[in-house]
Short mmCIF file of all heavy atoms in Angstrom, two decimals:
data_model
loop_
_atom_site.label_atom_id
_atom_site.label_comp_id
_atom_site.label_asym_id
_atom_site.label_seq_id
_atom_site.Cartn_x
_atom_site.Cartn_y
_atom_site.Cartn_z
N SER A 29 217.69 66.50 64.30
CA SER A 29 217.86 65.27 63.51
C SER A 29 216.57 64.73 62.97
O SER A 29 216.54 64.09 61.92
CB SER A 29 218.58 64.20 64.36
OG SER A 29 217.81 63.91 65.52
N SER A 30 215.42 64.96 63.67
CA SER A 30 214.15 64.41 63.20
C SER A 30 213.00 65.09 63.92
O SER A 30 213.17 65.66 65.02
CB SER A 30 214.07 62.90 63.47
OG SER A 30 214.04 62.63 64.85
N LEU A 31 211.80 65.05 63.32
CA LEU A 31 210.61 65.55 63.99
C LEU A 31 210.31 64.73 65.24
O LEU A 31 209.78 65.25 66.23
CB LEU A 31 209.43 65.53 63.04
CG LEU A 31 208.09 66.04 63.60
CD1 LEU A 31 208.22 67.49 64.08
CD2 LEU A 31 206.98 65.93 62.56
N THR A 32 210.67 63.45 65.22
CA THR A 32 210.49 62.60 66.40
C THR A 32 211.18 63.20 67.60
O THR A 32 210.61 63.35 68.68
CB THR A 32 211.04 61.18 66.14
OG1 THR A 32 210.28 60.57 65.09
CG2 THR A 32 210.94 60.31 67.38
N ASP A 33 212.46 63.59 67.46
CA ASP A 33 213.23 64.14 68.57
C ASP A 33 212.69 65.52 68.98
O ASP A 33 212.69 65.86 70.17
CB ASP A 33 214.71 64.24 68.22
CG ASP A 33 215.45 62.94 68.49
OD1 ASP A 33 214.85 62.02 69.05
OD2 ASP A 33 216.62 62.85 68.12
N VAL A 34 212.24 66.32 68.02
CA VAL A 34 211.66 67.62 68.35
C VAL A 34 210.48 67.44 69.33
O VAL A 34 210.37 68.12 70.35
CB VAL A 34 211.20 68.37 67.09
CG1 VAL A 34 210.38 69.61 67.45
CG2 VAL A 34 212.42 68.79 66.25
N LEU A 35 209.59 66.50 69.01
CA LEU A 35 208.43 66.28 69.84
C LEU A 35 208.78 65.51 71.12
O LEU A 35 208.21 65.75 72.18
CB LEU A 35 207.38 65.52 69.05
CG LEU A 35 206.78 66.27 67.85
CD1 LEU A 35 205.93 65.36 66.99
CD2 LEU A 35 205.96 67.48 68.31
N ARG A 36 209.70 64.58 71.02
CA ARG A 36 210.04 63.75 72.19
C ARG A 36 210.62 64.59 73.32
O ARG A 36 210.36 64.33 74.50
CB ARG A 36 211.06 62.70 71.76
CG ARG A 36 211.64 61.86 72.90
CD ARG A 36 212.57 60.81 72.36
NE ARG A 36 211.82 59.67 71.83
CZ ARG A 36 212.19 58.93 70.80
NH1 ARG A 36 213.30 59.24 70.13
NH2 ARG A 36 211.49 57.90 70.43
N TYR A 37 211.40 65.63 72.98
CA TYR A 37 212.05 66.43 74.01
C TYR A 37 211.30 67.70 74.35
O TYR A 37 211.71 68.46 75.22
CB TYR A 37 213.49 66.79 73.56
CG TYR A 37 214.47 65.67 73.72
CD1 TYR A 37 214.74 64.81 72.66
CD2 TYR A 37 215.10 65.44 74.93
CE1 TYR A 37 215.66 63.78 72.80
CE2 TYR A 37 216.02 64.41 75.10
CZ TYR A 37 216.29 63.57 74.02
OH TYR A 37 217.18 62.54 74.18
N ASN A 38 210.17 67.98 73.64
CA ASN A 38 209.47 69.24 73.88
C ASN A 38 207.96 69.12 74.00
O ASN A 38 207.26 70.12 73.91
CB ASN A 38 209.80 70.20 72.72
CG ASN A 38 211.26 70.53 72.62
OD1 ASN A 38 211.80 71.31 73.40
ND2 ASN A 38 211.95 69.89 71.68
N SER A 39 207.46 67.91 74.21
CA SER A 39 206.01 67.71 74.32
C SER A 39 205.74 66.48 75.16
O SER A 39 206.66 65.73 75.47
CB SER A 39 205.40 67.56 72.90
OG SER A 39 205.57 66.22 72.44
N PRO A 40 204.46 66.24 75.52
CA PRO A 40 204.16 65.04 76.30
C PRO A 40 204.06 63.77 75.47
O PRO A 40 203.78 62.69 76.03
CB PRO A 40 202.79 65.40 76.92
CG PRO A 40 202.17 66.35 75.99
CD PRO A 40 203.30 67.15 75.41
N VAL A 41 204.26 63.82 74.18
CA VAL A 41 204.13 62.67 73.31
C VAL A 41 205.36 61.76 73.46
O VAL A 41 206.49 62.25 73.47
CB VAL A 41 203.97 63.08 71.83
CG1 VAL A 41 203.69 61.85 70.97
CG2 VAL A 41 202.85 64.10 71.68
N VAL A 42 205.15 60.46 73.58
CA VAL A 42 206.24 59.48 73.57
C VAL A 42 206.16 58.70 72.27
O VAL A 42 205.13 58.67 71.58
CB VAL A 42 206.21 58.56 74.80
CG1 VAL A 42 206.35 59.34 76.07
CG2 VAL A 42 204.94 57.72 74.83
N PHE A 43 207.27 58.05 71.91
CA PHE A 43 207.35 57.40 70.62
C PHE A 43 207.87 55.98 70.74
O PHE A 43 208.73 55.67 71.55
CB PHE A 43 208.28 58.20 69.68
CG PHE A 43 207.70 59.50 69.23
CD1 PHE A 43 207.84 60.63 70.01
CD2 PHE A 43 207.00 59.58 68.05
CE1 PHE A 43 207.28 61.85 69.63
CE2 PHE A 43 206.44 60.78 67.65
CZ PHE A 43 206.59 61.91 68.43
N ARG A 44 207.32 55.15 69.87
CA ARG A 44 207.89 53.82 69.62
C ARG A 44 208.62 53.93 68.29
O ARG A 44 207.97 54.11 67.26
CB ARG A 44 206.79 52.78 69.56
CG ARG A 44 207.32 51.39 69.25
CD ARG A 44 206.19 50.39 69.01
NE ARG A 44 206.71 49.10 68.67
CZ ARG A 44 205.96 48.05 68.29
NH1 ARG A 44 204.65 48.20 68.21
NH2 ARG A 44 206.52 46.88 68.00
N ASP A 45 209.96 53.84 68.33
CA ASP A 45 210.65 54.02 67.05
C ASP A 45 211.88 53.13 67.00
O ASP A 45 212.36 52.60 68.00
CB ASP A 45 211.04 55.50 66.86
CG ASP A 45 212.24 55.93 67.66
OD1 ASP A 45 212.05 56.35 68.83
OD2 ASP A 45 213.36 55.85 67.13
N TYR A 46 212.40 52.99 65.78
CA TYR A 46 213.52 52.12 65.49
C TYR A 46 214.79 52.91 65.16
O TYR A 46 215.64 52.45 64.41
CB TYR A 46 213.17 51.21 64.29
CG TYR A 46 212.06 50.23 64.59
CD1 TYR A 46 210.72 50.65 64.57
CD2 TYR A 46 212.34 48.91 64.90
CE1 TYR A 46 209.70 49.76 64.85
CE2 TYR A 46 211.32 48.00 65.18
CZ TYR A 46 210.00 48.44 65.16
OH TYR A 46 208.98 47.54 65.45
N GLY A 47 214.89 54.11 65.71
CA GLY A 47 216.05 54.95 65.44
C GLY A 47 215.77 55.91 64.30
O GLY A 47 214.72 55.88 63.66
N ASN A 48 216.73 56.82 64.06
CA ASN A 48 216.52 57.88 63.08
C ASN A 48 216.21 57.37 61.69
O ASN A 48 215.51 58.03 60.92
CB ASN A 48 217.76 58.78 63.04
CG ASN A 48 217.88 59.64 64.26
OD1 ASN A 48 216.92 59.87 64.98
ND2 ASN A 48 219.10 60.12 64.53
N GLY A 49 216.71 56.22 61.34
CA GLY A 49 216.44 55.69 60.02
C GLY A 49 215.23 54.80 59.93
O GLY A 49 214.82 54.39 58.85
N GLY A 50 214.65 54.46 61.09
CA GLY A 50 213.53 53.54 61.11
C GLY A 50 212.18 54.20 61.20
O GLY A 50 212.05 55.42 61.18
N VAL A 51 211.16 53.40 61.37
CA VAL A 51 209.79 53.89 61.49
C VAL A 51 209.59 54.42 62.91
O VAL A 51 210.08 53.85 63.89
CB VAL A 51 208.78 52.76 61.20
CG1 VAL A 51 207.36 53.24 61.45
CG2 VAL A 51 208.94 52.30 59.76
N SER A 52 208.87 55.53 63.04
CA SER A 52 208.62 56.15 64.34
C SER A 52 207.14 56.53 64.43
O SER A 52 206.63 57.28 63.61
CB SER A 52 209.48 57.40 64.52
OG SER A 52 209.15 58.09 65.70
N THR A 53 206.44 55.97 65.45
CA THR A 53 205.01 56.26 65.63
C THR A 53 204.76 56.77 67.05
O THR A 53 205.49 56.46 67.97
CB THR A 53 204.16 55.02 65.36
OG1 THR A 53 204.61 53.95 66.19
CG2 THR A 53 204.26 54.61 63.90
N ALA A 54 203.68 57.57 67.18
CA ALA A 54 203.39 58.28 68.42
C ALA A 54 202.52 57.49 69.37
O ALA A 54 201.66 56.71 68.96
CB ALA A 54 202.74 59.62 68.11
N VAL A 55 202.74 57.70 70.67
CA VAL A 55 201.89 57.20 71.74
C VAL A 55 201.46 58.43 72.54
O VAL A 55 202.25 58.99 73.29
CB VAL A 55 202.62 56.19 72.64
CG1 VAL A 55 201.71 55.72 73.77
CG2 VAL A 55 203.14 55.01 71.84
#
């Protein structure tokens, strides 16, 4: 569904995001 989910479930990066349609930034 998004690059956010690819990284969220497969890397140590966490995200502050507003859902698939919103802004998503890395922590």
Side-chain angles (χ1 to χ4, degrees):
S29 60
S30 67
L31 181 58
T32 297
D33 274 354
V34 170
L35 295 170
R36 173 177 280 147
Y37 282 94
N38 298 283
S39 81
V41 186
V42 299
F43 289 85
R44 178 187 178 187
D45 79 272
Y46 294 79
N48 288 340
V51 176
S52 174
T53 55
V55 178

